[in-house]
Amino acid sequence: FSLMAVPVDEAGISEINVYEERNGIQLAKARGIGLDIGTSAIKAIELQQSPAGMELLHYAVLPVPAGTIRNGVITNPADIGAVIKHVFKTGKIHDKEVYVAIAGQSVVVRQVRFPDMPADEVHNAIQWEADKYLPFSPEEAVIDFHIIGPAESEGEIEVMLVAAQNELVNSHVAAIEAAGLTPVAMDVQPFAILRSLGLESLDNQRCSGLIDIGAGTTDVVIFKGDSLKFTRIIPFGGQRFTEAVAEGMNCGFSEADDMKLQAGKVFFGDEPEINDPNDLSVKIFGILRPVLEEFLLEVRRSIDYYKLQNRGESIDELVLTGGGSKLVGLERMLEGELGIPARIGNPFENIKINPRQFNVATLTNLAPMLAVGIGLALRGVEEA
């Protein structure tokens, strides 16, 4: 999906393919760059299709200055542009065309039905009826759609409606251009993750749930085969865990984040250290327990709502991504409480990593955070 239906002068985006000249013939480069501008960090990934398969060329991750991104909107594009420049310099990424993702409360994804009609008529119908499906004015948004296929009811089609408020889109374009880069297309974050994990090409009868735990929000996405069935954005992310640790341990946010990453884990009662009150991991778990229960409640509500709307449907697995998924034991907790097999997604599963160029252990640790960027880069390769 890309928000490319809007004219270029409204969103500042144009479709650009990357080419190289060889013996006077234009050949498409089989490479792509994904740029993930997150609440807590900016991640850039460059992939290339080689005879040996998909391979990682370059990557870099740098933190975002506090307060420069709120609810997905970049409040200071110039500052973020400077960080993006530094990311590209650090990662030794030289190409200028990037694929970017957007997320947050200002992004809406809806599955709607229309009478069976050609795509151009669907476009016109959406322009007339968009206000029925959006919590904001259609005039304030970039709107795109994708025809999924025939609906269960005869004579109807299912359409995926995607919309993002202009403020969100324009802030990303401004930051990218401030970095001297060109945005090729904008993707919706959950779709980029599905692509990175290969989940969009699963068997059409398999129903999977994606739980992407970012710094500020968590996306719950349920899909069957390559058809999106449900999306919900929970205003709850990894920062809530860090804030709880900071308050409970009476320390600063940065120190709390380090403690969470190094000693944070979910206990299940069968660990030998569970009865040691001086164990740091036990202390942190005690602090995080009520926050984890709140998180679990929101995920359960999302799944229960999906099941209520789709009676008879069951979810075959949960796949966790995002920085928040790195909390040790979180997937086991979800599996035990929800009764659904859960695992951490690995976007590097089908990507070759040169151990002489990259630290494999570092990339393995970062993998859940890089799913969006990898999915975007894969799209760049596919469209090159």
Side-chain angles (χ1 to χ4, degrees):
F1 290 80
S2 68
L3 300 178
M4 299 302 299
V6 68
V8 172
D9 59 352
E10 288 187 38
I13 310 172
S14 60
E15 290 243 33
I16 297 173
N17 288 320
V18 186
Y19 292 95
E20 64 179 356
E21 191 85 16
R22 186 180 297 167
N23 299 325
I25 303 173
Q26 281 193 330
L27 299 173
K29 283 184 181 179
R31 64 170 60 183
I33 300 171
L35 178 63
D36 177 14
I37 305 174
T39 303
S40 64
I42 293 175
K43 290 82 74 175
I45 301 282
E46 185 173 19
L47 300 178
Q48 177 172 272
Q49 181 71 57
S50 71
M54 193 69 65
E55 62 181 10
L56 177 65
L57 286 184
H58 303 99
Y59 86 97
V61 180
L62 286 177
V64 170
T68 51
I69 300 179
R70 296 196 183 106
N71 297 322
V73 177
I74 299 171
T75 58
N76 193 323
D79 284 354
I80 293 298
V83 178
I84 294 172
K85 273 187 178 180
H86 195 190
V87 169
F88 271 57
K89 183 178 180 180
T90 301
K92 299 179 181 179
I93 302 172
H94 303 295
D95 284 350
K96 302 296 185 181
E97 294 87 0
V98 300
Y99 287 75
V100 65
I102 51 176
Q105 304 283 0
S106 298
V107 180
V108 174
V109 180
R110 294 279 189 273
Q111 195 163 326
V112 298
R113 293 184 179 184
F114 286 99
D116 192 359
M117 62 179 77
D120 58 342
E121 293 184 23
V122 172
H123 176 267
N124 292 332
I126 284 177
Q127 302 309 309
W128 282 103
E129 300 189 25
D131 57 340
K132 294 181 181 179
Y133 310 109
L134 304 181
F136 41 74
S137 169
E139 288 75 24
E140 300 173 355
V142 181
I143 301 173
D144 204 351
F145 69 93
H146 172 72
I147 298 176
I148 298 171
E152 293 180 0
S153 302
E154 188 175 351
E156 291 187 328
I157 54 174
E158 289 193 4
V159 176
M160 187 66 63
L161 173 66
V162 183
Q165 286 187 292
N166 291 332
E167 181 185 19
L168 173 68
V169 173
N170 293 336
S171 72
H172 279 68
V173 172
I176 294 166
E177 292 181 342
L181 306 176
T182 301
V184 179
M186 283 192 173
D187 215 332
V188 180
Q189 187 165 293
F191 299 141
I193 298 172
L194 298 185
R195 189 183 305 111
S196 75
L197 301 177
L199 296 177
E200 59 179 4
S201 58
L202 288 174
D203 177 75
N204 283 337
Q205 298 305 310
R206 186 170 180 80
C207 185
S208 299
L210 170 68
I211 302 177
D212 180 53
I213 311 169
T217 59
T218 294
D219 289 335
V220 178
V221 183
I222 299 174
F223 56 99
K224 191 171 184 178
D226 58 0
S227 179
L228 185 73
K229 308 296 286 185
F230 172 87
T231 62
R232 183 188 174 208
I233 298 173
I234 301 172
F236 185 114
Q239 285 184 350
R240 288 283 293 279
F241 296 131
T242 304
E243 289 166 358
V245 173
E247 182 178 351
M249 298 297 290
N250 193 26
C251 63
F253 186 88
S254 180
E255 184 181 353
D257 198 48
D258 288 341
M259 279 194 286
K260 180 189 72 173
L261 292 173
Q262 295 169 14
K265 64 179 291 186
V266 179
F267 284 86
F268 300 91
D270 54 358
E271 300 85 356
E273 67 269 36
I274 189 67
N275 296 315
D276 181 0
N278 296 316
D279 186 276
L280 181 58
S281 293
V282 174
K283 287 182 180 179
I284 291 177
F285 177 61
I287 293 168
L288 289 180
R289 189 194 296 269
V291 186
L292 287 166
E293 290 174 352
E294 182 183 353
F295 173 74
L296 175 64
L297 177 63
E298 292 299 331
V299 173
R300 188 190 297 278
R301 282 175 175 168
S302 301
I303 292 174
D304 287 347
Y305 182 81
Y306 167 76
K307 290 182 176 179
L308 182 64
Q309 299 297 312
N310 298 269
R311 294 190 181 280
E313 290 280 350
S314 61
I315 298 174
D316 297 301
E317 69 167 348
L318 298 176
V319 184
L320 278 63
T321 57
S325 69
K326 293 168 63 179
L327 183 66
V328 176
L330 183 59
E331 76 278 17
R332 183 182 166 191
M333 182 194 80
L334 288 172
E335 181 171 321
E337 295 291 338
L338 301 174
I340 304 171
R343 62 182 174 91
I344 304 295
N346 178 17
F348 284 113
E349 188 171 357
N350 297 309
I351 295 175
K352 297 186 180 299
I353 300 171
N354 185 345
R356 291 174 294 181
Q357 183 180 357
F358 302 105
N359 185 313
V360 176
T362 298
L363 280 173
T364 300
N365 182 54
L366 290 173
M369 297 175 57
L370 300 180
V372 173
I374 289 172
L376 294 168
L378 285 171
R379 175 175 171 176
V381 172
E382 292 167 2
E383 297 186 0

